[in-house]
Amino acid sequence: MLERYYRELLNFLSRTVNDRDAAADLAQESYARVLALRQSGEAISNVRALLYRTARNLVIDRHRRAVLRDHEDIDALADAAHAMAPVHAQPEEAYASAQHARAILAAIEALPPRCREAFVLNRFEGLSHQEVAERMGISKNMVAQHVIRGVLACKACEDAFGTGTSDHNR
């Protein structure tokens, strides 16, 4: 009974995979699986349908294996094709950025205490000169002088690092 479907199944598989030898292997494997199922005592109501379903499943499995194997070797890719991490995530850039942040922090910490307090309140906590003056009990002009001193300290640090604001805007 199974033999009468062989040529039909082989032609179907040949059209599906475009390779007569691969189709013959798939047909043989389909027959082997259906025969094993039949020998196990399983009742098969439609042998032809089971052969075709088994063959289709084998074609799908073959395709999945081919997709897994069909990838480019990463070592064979050109350097330009390799995915690169963004510049800010490169180790050298991350290290330089951390060093720069430590230098700015050191410049701010080197300010006199009242100057540092006025600078931090204004630049980091977003308080206006008037709000800083009221909180610290000093004049708006003194707050402005403290903030200018802090900005100049940070600018000097930026210049020493070679990362002045004009470099960031390019």
Side-chain angles (χ1 to χ4, degrees):
M1 178 189 263
L2 291 172
E3 290 116 19
R4 71 177 174 190
Y5 301 119
Y6 180 78
R7 180 134 339 264
E8 179 185 342
L9 183 64
L10 181 62
N11 289 335
F12 165 75
L13 288 168
S14 292
R15 287 189 309 273
T16 303
V17 297
N18 293 327
D19 181 351
R20 190 82 174 166
D21 293 331
D25 290 343
L26 290 166
Q28 181 178 350
E29 180 64 25
S30 298
Y31 267 90
R33 290 185 183 196
V34 170
L35 284 172
L37 190 61
R38 191 179 211 187
Q39 288 174 350
S40 73
E42 189 76 29
I44 300 172
S45 61
N46 188 341
V47 173
R48 183 177 180 270
L50 182 59
L51 273 171
Y52 272 80
R53 171 53 54 203
T54 303
R56 276 190 221 111
N57 288 344
L58 288 169
V59 168
I60 291 168
D61 290 346
R62 180 178 185 264
H63 176 73
R64 286 179 182 154
R65 282 191 304 276
V67 167
L68 287 174
R69 275 185 265 124
D70 188 31
H71 65 279
E72 298 211 26
D73 182 16
I74 194 146
D75 295 330
L77 293 174
D79 285 339
H82 286 282
M84 298 293 287
V87 173
H88 68 274
Q90 296 292 330
E92 298 86 10
E93 183 66 27
Y95 178 74
S97 180
Q99 288 236 325
H100 180 246
R102 282 193 289 276
I104 293 287
L105 184 59
I108 293 170
E109 288 176 350
L111 293 171
R114 298 285 284 167
C115 178
R116 179 176 56 242
E117 181 182 359
F119 180 74
V120 168
L121 289 171
N122 176 254
R123 293 301 170 136
F124 293 99
E125 294 188 22
L127 299 181
S128 69
H129 286 201
Q130 182 63 44
E131 292 168 325
V132 173
E134 289 170 5
R135 183 178 282 187
M136 293 181 66
I138 58 177
S139 70
K140 272 178 51 176
N141 286 341
M142 185 53 75
V143 170
Q145 288 178 16
H146 287 322
V147 170
I148 290 171
R149 188 171 180 184
V151 168
L152 290 174
C154 290
K155 172 92 173 86
C157 184
E158 292 280 324
D159 291 344
F161 247 85
T163 58
T165 53
S166 61
D167 290 341
H168 287 301
N169 293 331
R170 284 187 192 169

